[in-house]
Amino acid sequence: MATPKVFVSSTCFDLSEIREQLSKFVSTFGFEPILSDHGDVFYHPDLHTHEACVHEVSNCQLFILIIGGRYGGSYTVDKTKSITNAEYEAAINHGIPVFTYIKKDVLSDHHIYTTNFKNEIAAQITYPSITTQSDSLSIFNFINQVRRQNKNNSYEGFDNFGQIENHLRKQWAGMFFDFLKTKEIKSQIDATNHLLENLKNSNKKLEDIVTNLYINTSDNKEL
């Protein structure tokens, strides 16, 4: 039986516990978690490991993005991006539903940055949630990239895994309900179309009967 694949994208070392919990949580739904640090990605010998991870995203049906205080290593194909950033863009480009979770202290620092980014003081602020201060702008821009998407751009702050779990349960239940509702509406549309087709056929038969009656009446009058 085919099961949905769920790609988990984040920096690994600082979020290893969250990633481990997500892997178990996804499995309880009967879905297949895909985590690079769990050996779930096929590292094709003709590809760099970064490219293999990005390519694997296209084989998945759901995408979970976790943003913390580390930016991560540069993507080998495009040094202006992190590997997490590249995986996220692959999900967006393939139209895969994205569920984004950002550590609340990072969101708090992001708010401070967006409030002051036009002032010279912004470059002098120390952001406690960011591991390497030189990465702060890259992380904040990544958050902006997520929230400024025209669609598929929701995100939630979190302090612990329980908050992620509760939100994902509600979101996935909503997706399932939407699937059932769409199926119900489709059935109603199909039934309506079938009824209209039968009505159209009945009208055609009625027109034929009226036409024949008219022809027969006319023939009798001539006689």
Side-chain angles (χ1 to χ4, degrees), residues 3-8 19-36 38-41 56 60 62 64 172:
T3 58
K5 290 185 177 182
V6 183
F7 195 99
V8 178
R19 291 173 64 83
E20 185 67 32
Q21 291 171 311
L22 271 173
S23 179
K24 294 177 181 178
F25 171 75
V26 169
S27 297
T28 63
F29 267 78
F31 300 165
E32 181 181 352
I34 304 297
L35 293 86
S36 59
H38 283 205
D40 300 321
V41 174
E56 188 66 35
C60 297
L62 298 170
I64 299 176
W172 289 354

Side-chain angles (χ1 to χ4, degrees), residues 156-213:
E156 286 287 316
F158 75 95
D159 288 318
N160 55 65
F161 175 72
Q163 294 168 344
I164 296 177
E165 179 182 7
N166 289 337
H167 188 262
L168 275 176
R169 286 187 184 279
K170 292 177 181 178
Q171 290 299 306
W172 289 354
M175 289 186 69
F176 188 57
F177 176 82
D178 183 66
F179 166 77
L180 293 177
K181 195 65 179 177
T182 301
K183 186 177 181 181
E184 178 185 343
I185 293 173
K186 183 178 183 300
S187 297
Q188 293 173 351
I189 292 174
D190 289 343
T192 301
N193 288 338
H194 181 68
L195 182 63
L196 291 173
E197 185 64 28
N198 287 340
L199 184 60
K200 178 181 177 182
N201 292 335
S202 298
N203 287 338
K204 181 66 169 62
K205 291 178 181 178
L206 182 59
E207 289 176 3
D208 291 343
I209 292 174
V210 171
T211 300
N212 288 332
L213 285 173

Side-chain angles (χ1 to χ4, degrees), residues 139-153:
I139 294 174
F140 297 151
N141 283 337
F142 190 7
I143 294 173
N144 286 337
Q145 180 184 8
V146 171
R147 67 190 187 92
R148 289 173 180 170
Q149 293 291 329
N150 292 327
K151 58 182 179 179
N152 203 11
N153 65 337

Side-chain angles (χ1 to χ4, degrees), residues 67-71 82 85 102-117 121-148 155:
I67 299 178
R70 294 184 71 251
Y71 187 63
S82 70
N85 194 190
I102 306 172
K103 292 189 71 174
K104 285 185 178 178
D105 57 349
V106 175
L107 277 177
S108 178
D109 283 344
H110 173 264
H111 176 70
I112 293 173
Y113 168 75
T114 55
T115 303
N116 297 282
F117 79 98
I121 192 176
Q124 303 170 11
I125 296 176
T126 297
Y127 301 99
S129 68
I130 307 302
T131 303
T132 303
Q133 292 301 303
S134 58
D135 287 337
S136 58
L137 183 59
S138 296
I139 294 174
F140 297 151
N141 283 337
F142 190 7
I143 294 173
N144 286 337
Q145 180 184 8
V146 171
R147 67 190 187 92
R148 289 173 180 170
Y155 63 91

